[in-house]
Amino acid sequence: MAENAPPVFYVGQHESHRAGPVSGQVLRRAQDAGYDMVTTPITSTAFRSRVITILNQHLQMLSESSSPQDVPLPLITPLSPLDTPLTPDECSSSLLAFTSPWIDLASPDPLVAHLSSQVFYLEIAYAAFCGVNNVIVRGPRLHHNDAATGSGLTRYARAVAEALNMGCYLQLSIQLSLVDDPLLDEEDDLNDDLASLSPIPDDILQDGAGNEEEEADFDLFGTWDAWHLIRSTCSHHSRLSIGKMQYITSILPRPSRVHLERRETFQGNAGLVKSRWYSEPIRLLNISANSFLPNVKGYPVLSKPHQALIIHFARLRAAPWILLSDVGPIPGSDYLHTATYVPGGAATLSPSPMFDASPSSLAPTPSEAAKITSANSKKPKDPVPHLRYIRHLQSQQPLHDAIDHFAAGYQDYLQSPLQPLTDNLESITYEVFEKDPVKYEWYERAVALALMDFLTRQEAGGEAGEPITVAVVGAGRGPLVTRVLRASADTGVAVSVWAVEKNPNAYVLLQRHNATDPLWNNAVTVVKSDMRSWPGPILSDGKLGKVDILVSELLGSFADNELSPECLDGVQHVLSPSGMSIPASYTAHLTPISTPRIHNELMGKSLTDKEAWETPYVVMLHQISYLSTATPTDSSQAIAAPPNVQTCWNFSHPTPSPVLTQANLRRGGSAAGGSGGAMGGDGANEHNRRFCRLKFECKDRGVCHGLAGYFETVLYTSDNGETVELSTNPLTMEEKSKDMIGWFPIFFPLKVRPLLPHTMFSCQVVW
């Protein structure tokens, strides 16, 4: 993708009752109109009629038999050419195939479920044979006559699991709505003119519905529950995704009181619901014609919530496709829906006879031609206004900036934490850190404040005139050294700079910088040493001196997980009694999250790595859902409610001298140091041991896949109260260090644990 280009929308065209097969010519017409893909039914209305006939024949046999239990269940014979418009050709892989919407795999009626499963398997097998890569499956009906589906949902999930094994390249996408609303099921049935397979007459169903509108349950996470059962039954299969999401704010012709109440309930929790689905593998976003509103000029547009939903999902690493449903035919394909003359009588032909007729027999009569011309003249100038609007929406999206481009390759990508104390990092690793636009700027501000404060204290104590000794420990390739020199130049405070680095390869580069960089100008003393073993700066008289300001960037994604406390304790012996440390303090933070994408990756990783579930990972968390949240200020528009992020512990530097004195006494196991450490060893580092117990209220159902870890650090607080801070905490990052990318969060994976509504999730962390 070109830099500063908006995200690309891939848009498909879907007709619920497409009249003819999608040939290569039809596909090209759709692409010429601006569509990227087209849908097709797998089977025809003729096949549906055949199945209904089989059902009716079986019901008649049951009514006429004296022993109904001895009548075998009906069987559906293989597909015939009349049963399907599909055929293997070069355009098959470019189509999105729909299974029959009139089957019900979750039906409580065993006969309907039996026939539905046969239809389903026939369609899946034939689609795989034809080379179709993407099949859209209607989601399970969660309510039958106001009764929630129980075992039927399990049967549905098992059928999907079987279908995934019928084609090794077949991608299955399940049609689901955002929420579980029985009234949506009713509307879906009313809008579908294909009769139900249920042998119970429609009038009985309607009479039994009675007060269904008053009694039917509305569940914000009922659909998500169904999805979780399906994907769990399918072992989190990588070729299973969510194919369609109906939006509850679609325009209804006559919204009832219950409709309005439920719409209000959804809008009050829109951010929470969207956030949950955002973390799931959504492959298609369906936008039906009744989701559009006419603007002042009569053109179709989407409401603000619809726009926000599309734009937000477009930011996913694998953005879902957009499917425009029933917004009009493909331009140039109207002949599929017009009356066509055939010798022996004029009639509207079924697709199969029309395509079988000879070219000479397709000419309309003069009167028919006039009607077609008249009909065409009444069409709007733009044949695809809905598509045109989606393309307009695409062009209006925020452009990808440098941060987006940097993040593109790292979103939800698992990395093991760095071990700079034991490993010598490569130059490219340092280079990634140095691209951060915020981190080093903030460090320079902190150093400048510290220099001014130290100079003021020197002047107050009558010690002004001597350069301030600044040591950058763990200097790497030298970015902090450069910032110290810039801070010195900007403030006019003279400094003596020491760069300490144990990596022998980085040591070479530091020396080259010192010799060639005009800012360094051989003014930096470069030392190759482990900071803990460094005796300190050497004065002009050959004696060891002390450091006034100690600058380091040893923090990890969880603050102290890269041994920053241990390293800074080890080098503190070179710090003067009045010396300062940058950073001065840092805290670690946690919150429970749901991240199916990372969980699926770990399931595969654990097959070859036994420690996969026991390893913390550095990861740029993106496609996640926070399980413990606060109430957003504007829940109707918010994509995600703010998470409940809690503090684990704190470290401060310099460490108090009595604490380090005791630690040194314990080092080596001397008698004065006590009886050793509680966890083994001599206990010299036990002052850095931490423990916390946190409780998170999870108001809604979900699955906790792990804990997201963050940190905050105070680099420096000046004598006049000005504070320079960095943060990866999603609650404070915008305020303290917006656009910082030098650190990604840390992820502690957990075995899957279902959470019931309003439960307290408790975690105990020992560090």
Side-chain angles (χ1 to χ4, degrees), residues 14 37-43 86 92-101 103 105 119-139 156 159-160 163-164 166-176 227 239-244 281 283-284 321 323:
H14 172 62
M37 63 201 82
V38 178
T39 68
T40 178
I42 300 176
T43 54
L86 271 180
S92 295
S93 60
S94 302
L95 300 178
L96 304 179
F98 270 71
T99 59
S100 293
I103 63 175
L105 294 169
V119 172
F120 180 64
Y121 293 139
L122 281 172
E123 292 182 332
I124 293 294
Y126 187 70
F129 167 77
C130 289
V132 173
N133 293 329
N134 296 277
V135 174
I136 316 301
V137 183
R138 179 176 180 173
Y156 180 97
V160 172
L164 286 167
M166 299 176 72
C168 57
Y169 300 107
L170 210 57
Q171 301 277 346
L172 293 188
S173 299
I174 310 299
Q175 293 177 302
L176 294 170
W227 161 247
R239 289 188 282 111
L240 180 66
S241 60
I242 299 167
K244 169 185 170 183
R283 193 171 185 84
L284 283 173
W321 303 333
L323 200 61

Side-chain angles (χ1 to χ4, degrees), residues 184-458:
L184 287 180
D185 281 345
E186 289 180 16
E187 293 156 14
D188 198 30
D189 291 339
L190 291 173
N191 292 331
D192 187 359
D193 63 356
L194 298 179
S196 171
L197 280 175
S198 175
I200 305 175
D202 288 342
D203 56 347
I204 297 179
L205 287 174
Q206 293 170 0
D207 291 342
N211 298 323
E212 183 174 346
E213 184 174 292
E214 300 294 336
E215 299 175 359
D217 292 330
F218 175 78
D219 189 347
L220 289 171
F221 293 97
T223 308
W224 180 87
D225 284 339
W227 161 247
H228 181 58
L229 188 148
I230 294 168
R231 58 115 170 263
S232 298
T233 303
C234 298
S235 301
H236 296 256
H237 205 292
S238 61
R239 289 188 282 111
L240 180 66
S241 60
I242 299 167
K244 169 185 170 183
M245 302 193 71
Q246 297 169 329
Y247 203 46
I248 196 172
T249 56
S250 296
I251 305 304
L252 302 175
R254 291 184 180 180
S256 65
R257 177 181 60 81
V258 177
H259 275 115
L260 295 175
E261 289 176 354
R262 292 181 176 181
R263 180 183 297 180
E264 183 178 352
T265 300
F266 169 75
Q267 291 176 341
N269 295 274
L272 190 63
V273 175
K274 294 175 189 176
S275 174
R276 174 63 56 83
W277 287 113
Y278 183 77
S279 68
E280 300 294 347
I282 297 177
R283 193 171 185 84
L284 283 173
L285 284 177
N286 180 76
I287 306 177
S288 58
N290 64 359
S291 296
F292 287 86
L293 299 166
N295 63 8
V296 292
K297 294 184 178 181
Y299 289 97
V301 297
L302 290 174
S303 65
K304 293 295 184 182
H306 279 86
Q307 295 179 41
L309 182 75
I310 293 172
I311 292 175
H312 190 60
F313 276 86
R315 292 281 168 172
L316 283 170
R317 184 177 178 182
W321 303 333
I322 295 174
L323 200 61
L324 295 179
S325 298
D326 300 320
V327 295
I330 298 171
S333 62
D334 298 23
Y335 66 89
L336 294 175
H337 307 284
T338 58
T340 305
Y341 173 76
V342 175
T348 300
L349 300 181
S350 64
S352 183
M354 183 170 67
F355 279 87
D356 289 341
S358 64
S360 61
S361 66
L362 295 178
T365 64
S367 61
E368 290 170 341
K371 292 179 180 179
I372 294 174
T373 303
S374 175
N376 289 338
S377 65
K378 297 178 181 179
K379 291 187 176 181
K381 294 181 179 180
D382 188 350
V384 286
H386 302 81
L387 174 61
R388 204 72 60 213
Y389 172 78
I390 294 297
R391 294 303 185 195
H392 168 74
L393 189 63
Q394 172 185 334
S395 67
Q396 297 301 307
Q397 288 191 94
L399 300 178
H400 283 296
D401 55 22
I403 303 296
D404 293 325
H405 282 279
F406 174 84
Y410 293 99
Q411 292 173 349
D412 297 322
Y413 176 73
L414 298 177
Q415 305 174 71
S416 297
L418 296 175
Q419 301 293 335
L421 195 60
T422 57
D423 301 332
N424 291 323
L425 303 182
E426 297 179 351
S427 180
I428 187 64
T429 305
Y430 289 117
E431 184 179 347
V432 172
F433 300 151
E434 294 167 12
K435 288 181 178 179
D436 193 302
V438 174
K439 171 181 168 182
Y440 295 105
E441 186 72 28
W442 264 233
Y443 261 98
E444 183 178 331
R445 287 175 50 205
V447 172
L449 290 173
L451 289 176
M452 294 301 297
D453 284 349
F454 207 91
L455 179 63
T456 302
R457 296 174 192 177
Q458 278 185 332

